Amino acid sequence: MDRKTYTAELAGLRELRTEITAAEKAVAAAQKELDKLTVQRARRVAGLAGYEGAKADAIAKASGLTLADVVRIAPLLDPTPAAVRAAKTDSQAAADAPAPAPVAAPGAEPASVVAPVTRPAAVLEQPVPAAPATEAPREDEDQAVAEQPAPVAARVESAVSVASVAAALRPVVEAGPRELPALHEGLAGARFEAVTTGLVSKRPNFVQQARSTVFLDAATRDLAVRDQVVRLDLGARTPGEILDAVLATAPGTERIYITAGAPWHDGAERYSTLKDAVAAWLNTPSERWTTAVGSGRDKLAGHFVHQRQPVGRYAPAASPEGPVTEIRSMGEWFDPDGADVVTCRDAFRLLWQALRRQWDDAVLMGSPSQTGRDLWSRTIPTTGKWAGGYPVLSEELRGLLHATGGQGRTELILPPRVPEQLPALVEYDRTFAYAKHLWKSPVGTPRRITARAFAAMTEQEQTKALMSCSHWNVRVTVPQGWNHVGLLPAPVTGDRAWVYPSEPGAPFTTWAGGAEVHLALSNHLMPWKVEILGGLLFEDGKPLDEWGKRLKAAWADLTNLSKLHADERQRQAAYLASRAVRSVLLFGLGGFAQRPRLVSGTTPVGEALPAGVEILGQANEVVTWQRQAGFSRDPYAHPEWAAYVWSGARAALLDMKYRQGKEVIASAGALHAKPGTVVYFGTDGIALTERQPWPYRGEPGDYLLKGHLTGPVEHPTSQEQYLKLRGQGRAELAQMGADQ
């Protein structure tokens, strides 16, 4: 090529560059217009769902969408057979029963996303039932997570769910052993000693933006905005009327916390389940408001349906891409327990102040789970081995931990192991329990320990391995002569998932954390027979230690204030704020244990089913199925941390040492009570038939006497009955204290 040709080519390249730039601008403009039209279409589809006779297939044809896309936007139009829908009633009734205590981020929002496929129709992605809920997306644009809330009302759970289909269509069988996964051999096993490439938990380089927040008592209609209280006219208490009333008084509000009155339960008697009632309320048609569908990098889109703590996200109907306003429940943070709206506002303010003393950039986000994980991310070290962040384990290893790392122990012990007539029902609750177990956690890539390698260790090396951050596959036999509660969890089918065998001679194979295995081998009553089949040994680290210390400091400040403040309202507010700190830790920890998603769907009889599905049942010529959908690439997924803390907490329910320096000064837990006196385990508490001499110092992990119901008491036959008795015992103990 000569110089003349070279010069001519350069000139031509410049012209081409100009044409490309113009084309790019045209594409960007077209994409912007397409996004705008798509949002309008979604809003219209959602609006059509409010018509009683609306049909998903007709709307799909008119809109040019697939049936699955229509269901994604308006789940109430889901064409799933009525028989499957109706079957939700029984299973949902059980789900609506009160729980003894939250165990793993129930306040967090699972990322249920409709899979946009053409066939089979009505495919919904949901987290594994009864698992710690995955945290909702972070409220910033710089740190988007892979799993996002579904647009419009896609997370309305009136659509068929894995749990409801399974409960309705599977035959009723007795719970039996459930086979747990094991470590693979050879090349396949290498993935169980690996991390996910390019996925690391890093310290954020931005500051969260606070959102304008108000507090509304929907019963009294009082609104606390800044330092004022205003009485509103809420009309029929629909979302649109609440938004109109609040924003007319407090323009620019981005978050409304309902402290009392639960408007989403209005008219609940007309629906088969509470969730259906909540879903209908969230999607009440409004001329002025529409469900926020989000656009571009905006992650705040769609509603989250929960029977008692829903989240509604709304945007102006005239501008769906405009500012989003959330309606949320105060119960995500703490039980207001009759507190007025001013006290709830003061509690939120005290919570922020307490956290701000520990983090100079602390911001209260929508939920405790979001807040907890954001605060943790700001404790990631900037120096040392983990300055670059903590790596996320491989999908295989995360899957193993999800399948084998149970949560808090919940067990009602029935006669004849305890008397049918209880002499009393005494409840002990571990104060701020999980905070005691954050000082050490597994980090890095684990080392696989085979049965042969463990057997070759010296006794001292074995003890060290068990006391380190570890997870073990074991074959267990309950010893002859054992007459106390079970020590290790055994997997079973059915709703319970885990039981705790205690019958002498009972054999089972399971996985458990090193703390539990060591306790079974070395407890002071009688050592159990435990054979190590294999395990994973992590490096001991402190990824949660700083986070835990700061939360404990905030909790201690608020707890002291709740006892010492001269003003009764401020004492109550401080107490509620201390409960909110507990929620931040509890649900923040649960947010690390993110579950693999399940995809469920329907296919007409006779058509080919997707690969790898499990058939759940058949009704009205439609086959219902489910399959695993794997994990998202979430940089904050650390199930190894949650599993280790849960294991330590379960062990402490059995045996916990009170120390003064290095000296053990007292012990507590079920194994230190008489055989036959333990009635109930409830995550971080125990109910017994008699009082115990366990000291209480007010420190995290200490056993606090929480309730005492004088007997004789008829033994509860269900968790619901136990919870009723527990409430009576707490009331009786409070009265005893008031009389003294």
Side-chain angles (χ1 to χ4, degrees), residues 245-293:
V246 169
L247 290 173
T249 303
T253 294
E254 297 173 273
R255 186 174 293 139
I256 303 168
Y257 280 111
I258 305 295
T259 65
W264 40 79
H265 291 164
D266 290 351
E269 67 279 358
R270 302 196 304 268
Y271 299 88
S272 59
T273 71
L274 203 54
K275 277 192 176 181
D276 285 343
V278 172
W281 183 86
L282 288 170
N283 290 285
T284 303
S286 170
E287 294 182 358
R288 292 172 49 81
W289 298 95
T290 185
T291 305
V293 297

Side-chain angles (χ1 to χ4, degrees), residues 482 664 697:
W482 183 259
V664 176
R697 305 163 299 181

Side-chain angles (χ1 to χ4, degrees), residues 35-36 39-40 43 141 211 247 252-254 288-302 313-326:
D35 290 343
K36 180 179 179 181
V39 169
Q40 291 178 4
R43 180 163 55 86
E141 296 183 349
R211 298 186 179 273
L247 290 173
T253 294
E254 297 173 273
R288 292 172 49 81
W289 298 95
T290 185
T291 305
V293 297
S295 63
R297 302 170 71 187
D298 179 16
K299 308 307 174 193
L300 293 177
R313 295 189 176 98
Y314 300 92
S319 178
E321 298 181 11
V324 175
T325 304
E326 294 183 327

